[in-house]
Structure formats: C-alpha cells, structure tokens
C-alpha cells in the first residue's frame, strides 16, 4: 500500500537513493510500553515484561555481543545458511526487492542483497526497524555499496505498520525476510496473526523467508541462554535499568538473578529474573503503586520458541502460506524457510 496514511508528524528524508519514513509516534509508543510493563508486573501468578524492553541502546549492544559468543549458536548458524545458500535462495525466489522486518544494520541480509545484485535483479531494499538513526546509517552504506539500489526505509513497528509498505513493482517478485529467529519471540497465536498479515501483503509471485531455531538437545539450547561470561545475564538484568528510566522506578538489578531454562512441553526457552531478597520497588512517582516480591519470585522477560519443520509448516498453512523450500546449517541447529502464498505455483525445476 502507498504511504498516504503517514501522519504529518512522520519524517521523510530523501537523499539520492535513500528515503527514510518515520511512522513511530514516540510519545504514543512510550505510553503503550508503560501500560504493558505495569500491567505485566502486576499480573499474577507470573509477572511478565514485554520483551521489547530488553532492547534499549545498551541492551542492543549487549545482544550484539551475545551473537558472537561460542555458546550462542542461532546467529552463527543462520549466518552460515545465508552465506552458503544466498544465491540458491535468490534463484528460487527471483526477487527484484527485499523487504526486511527488524532490519537493524542489515547484517543478516547482506548476503541476500549481494546475491540479488550479482544476479542483476536488485532494485529496492525496504528495511523496517524502530531505530531511525540505524536505518539512515545503514541505508547510506548500502547505497554506496550497491550503485543503483533504492532504499525505502520505514522507521516502524512491524507488528503495527505492515500496511505502510510501498507498493511492489508490477510484475517483479518481492522477497520478505524475517530472520534471526525473532518469530519465536511471539506466542503461537501472535505468530499466525503476523504470518497471515504478511500473506495479505503478498502476491502469488512473492515469497517469505523466515529463520527458525530448531528443537534440539536441551543442553545445547540452555547453554545458549546461560553463557559462561554472563553476558546474557547482564542483558537480562539490563531490562530493569530500562524499566527504571521508563517508569521512574527504582528496581535494583543486583537484587535479581538471571534464569533461563527450556520448557519441553511448550517448546520454548524462558528468560526470567528471580528476586534474591525481598524487593519493594515503586512503579513511578506519578503512578503511586509499588511492587513487592518475596525471595524466589520471578519476572518473565522473554520466551523464545523452538520448532520442528512440520510444526512450522502447519503454522504457515494456518496463515494461508505453504512451505516451498528450506535450508539448514551444517550442524542442523537452525533452518531458513522459504514460503509462498498457498495456491500459488511453486518454482519449477528447483529444490533445496
């Protein structure tokens, strides 16, 4: 859909090949995050914070460190798949443009962009991310790296702003990428809603590329979220520092221990913060409410689902999509899945 609905508060910056459109109302987004945080903290029996709170500036820096840790296999495994299979993925999807949800610095998709460029089909890159400065910086770098590329960047929340995607080029396939295993941070119903919404934006010639973390030995999964250097523990506790700024609260991060474990029944990892001693924290001066935690009480900060390919194929089908191909890393820890709209023709003569 065109960007006719962008408010006057939105910022559009066009410079050469780069256009950055801001759809995020920072005041409204902050108010919503405050509501979600307070409601989750007061919820019984298990208190829970929205996972997006983990990713303030410091949290994002800590996460980048996590992706380089020996124990944390998902980023490394997905990168292996994309670097080894990018040409094959691009040949199968045959896209002229790449849309990426949660793009960040485009580190996950550079191999795809390079493969599209080598194929001579690269016309446009459409990254969605909430960080305007990152989009601007990344867009400029990509314009320099790929002459002739147009970057239409959306400073947006992919859960709310998919309708603001630019119209696709007529007759030219589009590839939508949702990588990093991020889809696993959503609960099943939310995953299917997102996939169905993505399906609504797709034509028969378009394709969806999703990275999913596979079910595997529990010890491998749990080591990835409990690294020996304690980076993930610091990443988890940092959510309380973000919460203090957001709510004008007074949580002491040192009063909590990081805990991460795999739930075999739900097939997800849970990250939690466990109170080491009695905690009494105000939820902001204006709110007037306080939270009391006894030693051992916990706050859930994130869940990360793990999949089998048949399970994920069933979720795709529930959203009107069909699994077309998949690629695994050499250790078979992670899968990158290509999906098409159900009922559309599969690419003939090619298989993964």
């Amino acid at each position: 859909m065109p960007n006719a609905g962008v408010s006057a508060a939105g910022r559009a910056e066009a410079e050469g090949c780069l256009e950055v459109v801001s759809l995020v109302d920072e005041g409204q987004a902050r108010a919503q995050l405050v509501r979600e945080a307070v409601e989750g903290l007061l919820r019984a029996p298990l208190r829970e914070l929205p996972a997006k709170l983990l990713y303030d500036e410091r949290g994002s820096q800590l996460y980048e460190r996590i992706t380089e840790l020996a124990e944390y296999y998902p980023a490394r495994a997905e990168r292996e798949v994309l670097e080894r299979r990018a040409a094959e993925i691009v040949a199968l999807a045959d896209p002229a443009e790449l849309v990426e949800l949660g793009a960040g610095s485009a580190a996950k998709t550079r191999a795809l962009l390079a493969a599209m460029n080598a194929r001579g089909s690269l016309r446009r890159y459409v990254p969605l991310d909430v960080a305007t400065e990152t989009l601007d910086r990344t867009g400029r770098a990509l314009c320099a790296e790929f002459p002739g590329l147009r970057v239409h960047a959306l400073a947006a929340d992919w859960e709310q702003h998919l309708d603001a995607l630019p119209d696709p080029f007529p007759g030219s396939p589009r590839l939508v990428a949702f990588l990093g295993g991020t889809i696993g941070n959503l609960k099943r119903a939310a995953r299917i809603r997102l996939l169905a919404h993505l399906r609504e934006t797709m034509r028969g010639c378009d394709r969806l590329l999703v990275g999913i973390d596979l079910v595997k030995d529990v010890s491998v999964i749990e080591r990835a979220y409990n690294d020996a250097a304690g980076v993930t523990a610091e990443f988890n506790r940092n959510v309380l520092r973000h919460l203090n700024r957001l709510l004008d609260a007074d949580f002491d991060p040192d009063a909590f221990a990081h805990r991460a474990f795999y739930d075999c029944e739900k097939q997800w990892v849970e990250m939690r913060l466990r109170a080491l001693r009695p905690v009494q924290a105000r939820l902001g001066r204006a709110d007037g409410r306080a939270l009391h935690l006894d030693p051992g009480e916990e706050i859930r900060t994130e869940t990360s689902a793990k999949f089998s390919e048949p399970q994920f194929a069933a979720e795709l089908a529930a959203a009107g999509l069909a699994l077309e191909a998949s690629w695994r890393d050499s250790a078979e820890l992670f899968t990158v899945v290509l999906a098409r709209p159900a009922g559309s023709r599969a690419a003939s003569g090619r298989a993964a």
Side-chain angles (χ1 to χ4, degrees):
M1 293 179 64
N3 287 315
V6 177
S7 69
R11 180 176 71 87
E13 177 186 333
E15 182 178 331
C17 81
L18 173 64
E19 181 179 13
V20 181
V21 179
S22 178
L23 304 175
V24 177
D25 182 323
E26 292 186 6
Q28 184 179 24
R30 184 182 186 280
Q32 180 177 335
L33 192 56
V34 166
R35 285 194 300 272
E36 291 177 7
V38 171
E39 289 172 3
L41 286 171
L42 297 177
R43 187 180 303 136
L46 178 60
R47 306 175 197 279
E48 185 168 16
L49 289 171
K52 65 183 72 175
L53 270 175
L54 290 162
Y55 298 94
D56 64 347
E57 182 177 357
R58 185 164 185 268
S60 297
Q61 292 169 354
L62 287 167
Y63 180 71
E64 288 300 315
R65 288 176 57 191
I66 288 169
T67 64
E68 300 302 322
L69 295 171
E71 299 96 330
Y72 193 77
Y73 63 84
R76 183 171 59 253
E78 185 181 60
R79 185 165 58 245
E80 178 195 325
V81 173
L82 294 173
E83 289 176 353
R84 289 177 53 204
R85 301 291 195 171
E88 189 175 344
I89 293 168
V90 166
L92 193 59
D94 194 28
E97 66 175 329
L98 178 65
V99 173
E100 184 177 11
L101 311 187
S105 63
K108 297 185 292 293
T109 48
R110 282 180 185 270
L112 294 170
L113 291 168
M116 292 169 65
N117 188 60
R119 189 176 169 84
S121 63
L122 180 61
R123 296 177 63 184
R124 184 167 66 183
Y125 175 52
V126 183
L128 279 77
D129 200 278
V130 294
T132 304
E133 291 183 5
T134 300
L135 289 169
D136 184 79
R137 182 172 58 252
T138 301
R140 292 172 188 272
L142 291 174
C143 286
E145 186 174 348
F146 300 109
L149 172 68
R150 297 199 61 80
V151 179
H152 183 102
L154 296 175
D157 184 335
W158 45 260
E159 292 186 87
Q160 300 180 36
H161 297 129
L162 290 181
D163 291 342
L165 289 174
D167 288 331
F169 297 118
S172 296
R174 167 185 276 177
L175 178 63
V176 180
F178 191 31
L179 300 170
T182 306
I183 197 165
N185 295 138
L186 302 175
K187 305 295 194 301
R188 185 178 187 277
R191 290 196 298 268
I192 293 174
R193 281 197 302 272
L194 175 63
L195 291 169
H197 197 175
L198 286 168
R199 169 63 185 89
E200 291 172 1
T201 72
M202 297 170 66
R203 302 159 298 167
C205 62
D206 297 333
R207 295 294 184 265
L208 173 65
L209 193 70
V210 186
I212 58 171
D213 195 4
L214 295 171
V215 173
K216 59 186 68 67
D217 186 273
V218 172
S219 64
V220 175
I221 296 174
E222 292 191 340
R223 277 199 303 271
Y225 294 83
N226 293 282
D227 62 276
V231 182
T232 308
E234 181 57 24
F235 169 70
N236 198 12
R237 280 192 292 266
N238 182 68
V239 76
L240 297 175
R241 296 184 177 90
H242 189 188
L243 194 64
N244 286 343
R245 294 194 306 275
L246 183 72
L247 301 181
D248 190 21
D250 58 356
F251 285 91
D252 178 5
D254 292 331
F256 292 84
H258 163 73
R259 191 164 89 93
F261 62 94
Y262 183 66
D263 185 320
C264 293
E265 181 180 347
K266 295 178 179 175
Q267 290 189 186
W268 69 32
V269 169
E270 290 196 24
M271 285 208 318
R272 297 187 181 189
L273 291 169
R274 171 177 284 181
L276 296 172
R277 55 180 183 267
V279 172
Q280 187 79 17
R282 71 166 189 268
L283 300 183
R285 293 193 183 107
D287 188 283
R289 284 179 286 186
L291 178 68
H292 175 78
L293 297 175
D294 293 323
E297 282 197 78
E298 296 181 332
I299 302 170
R300 184 162 64 190
T301 55
E302 185 180 55
T303 61
S304 180
K306 311 305 171 186
F307 302 88
S308 68
E309 285 191 28
Q311 172 197 349
F312 191 66
E315 294 188 8
L316 289 170
L321 294 159
L323 192 153
E324 183 165 9
S326 64
W327 299 264
R328 294 189 180 190
D329 67 292
S330 56
E332 299 200 341
L333 302 172
F334 198 95
T335 292
V336 175
V337 167
L338 186 71
R340 69 178 189 276
S344 64
R345 290 185 60 186
S348 60
R350 292 190 173 97

